[in-house]
Amino acid sequence: RKRIRAACHVHSDWSYDGKWPLEKLAAAFSKRGYQVVMMTEHDRGFDEKRRLEHREACRNASTDQILIVPGIEYSDKDNCVHILVWGDVPFVGVDVETEKILGAVSACQAVAVMAHPTRRQAWRSFRPAWKADLLAIEIWNRKTDGWAPSRDAGPLLEQTGALPFVGLDFHEHRQFFPMATILDVESAISEDSVLVAMRARRCESEVFGRPIGRFSSGFAERTLRATEFFRRRAAPVFRKFRSS
């Protein structure tokens, strides 16, 4: 077995709001010590034909140093609950019920992760029946949560037994952050070996090179929450200064 670093929840210019082409992402994440990038393109603008084209583009953008794994971020009709899906799952559709997405994931033995439970208070929409088909829940989404983990993910993780997950939600360079999913793969790095490791729960989340649990309580958590508080207070001032 070998332990490898994966960057998860990444958008390219195949997403309507992504800015970087796949090849640029491959080079940038490889330079930062990752061996895998788990893509999560938005469902909007996709259909089955485009999904297959995206899979081929990911294969072409992969190199000997880094694997680009295709994936889709599905959202419900209220754009509240978002589910990250990896695996060769036929395109489910746009604005479909979460139950339908999870059913398709289960039928294809794929992987599903609930994204950013804090965004739009998605945690309030959680249904206990979902836990059977969810591998993980994002405890820390870089774009939504900033410099500190989500307060809302903890109760969901306890309720479901899902794995705590970290996601960059990468759209552009400001979302680079020292977080990774550490995968324990049994064979050569491939989409199949990555998904097998995830389904077997041979994966751990880390931030700043430390297990995510180190930042979920105590002094480290308080420090990060204080940092995020002041960052949010300063952000409007900085934006106003930058636009003046």
Side-chain angles (χ1 to χ4, degrees):
R1 289 183 180 180
K2 65 173 70 173
R3 288 170 63 83
I4 59 175
R5 298 178 75 239
C8 297
H9 198 158
V10 178
H11 297 270
S12 75
D13 57 5
W14 282 72
S15 290
Y16 66 87
D17 57 354
K19 294 180 171 61
W20 288 30
L22 291 167
E23 292 77 10
K24 184 177 179 180
L25 286 169
F29 280 102
S30 179
K31 181 180 179 181
R32 288 166 171 80
Y34 295 90
Q35 290 81 45
V36 177
V37 179
M38 308 289 288
M39 304 304 302
T40 49
E41 311 294 3
H42 290 297
D43 54 6
R44 189 190 310 173
F46 266 71
D47 54 21
E48 178 62 7
K49 179 175 181 292
R50 184 166 173 81
R51 184 190 75 88
L52 294 174
E53 292 171 347
H54 180 254
R55 289 183 62 81
E56 180 65 21
C58 288
R59 280 192 288 269
N60 292 336
S62 299
T63 70
D64 292 339
Q65 286 73 45
I66 194 160
L67 173 71
I68 309 300
V69 176
I72 301 289
E73 178 175 2
Y74 287 100
S75 57
D76 63 8
K77 62 182 178 60
D78 298 317
N79 191 23
C80 178
V81 177
H82 286 207
I83 302 294
L84 312 177
V85 173
W86 293 288
D88 193 4
V89 181
F91 187 69
V92 180
V94 178
D95 299 337
V96 299
E97 299 87 353
T98 301
E99 289 79 6
K100 182 177 180 180
I101 297 164
L102 294 177
V105 168
S106 179
C108 294
Q109 297 185 15
V111 170
V113 173
M114 182 178 180
H116 38 60
T118 297
R119 178 186 173 275
R120 297 195 176 188
Q121 297 187 316
W123 64 273
R124 294 184 180 275
S125 298
F126 185 84
R127 300 291 178 266
W130 298 352
K131 66 181 182 180
D133 299 313
L134 278 175
L135 171 71
I137 296 171
E138 281 188 340
I139 191 172
W140 195 339
N141 178 286
R142 173 68 181 94
K143 186 170 182 285
T144 296
D145 303 318
W147 276 77
S150 166
R151 293 183 185 274
D152 304 312
L156 288 184
L157 290 166
E158 291 180 7
Q159 174 185 346
T160 62
L163 294 175
F165 207 75
V166 292
L168 289 165
D169 208 349
F170 184 94
H171 293 76
E172 45 92 12
H173 72 280
R174 286 184 298 176
Q175 274 101 42
F176 277 121
F177 199 71
M179 56 173 45
T181 298
I182 308 303
L183 300 167
D184 186 357
V185 297
E186 291 184 322
S187 56
I189 301 173
S190 67
E191 181 180 4
D192 285 343
S193 67
V194 165
L195 295 180
V196 165
M198 295 180 79
R199 288 196 298 268
R201 299 171 71 94
R202 297 197 308 270
C203 51
E204 303 169 358
S205 295
E206 69 172 33
V207 183
F208 302 115
R210 298 288 187 270
I212 185 61
R214 297 275 188 93
F215 305 99
S216 299
S217 62
F219 176 77
E221 181 192 25
R222 292 194 298 272
T223 300
L224 289 170
R225 294 206 184 283
T227 301
E228 177 61 11
F229 173 79
F230 288 112
R231 185 193 71 83
R232 289 180 184 259
R233 292 289 296 270
V237 176
F238 178 73
R239 286 195 294 268
K240 183 176 180 181
F241 173 79
R242 189 170 55 180
S243 63
S244 62

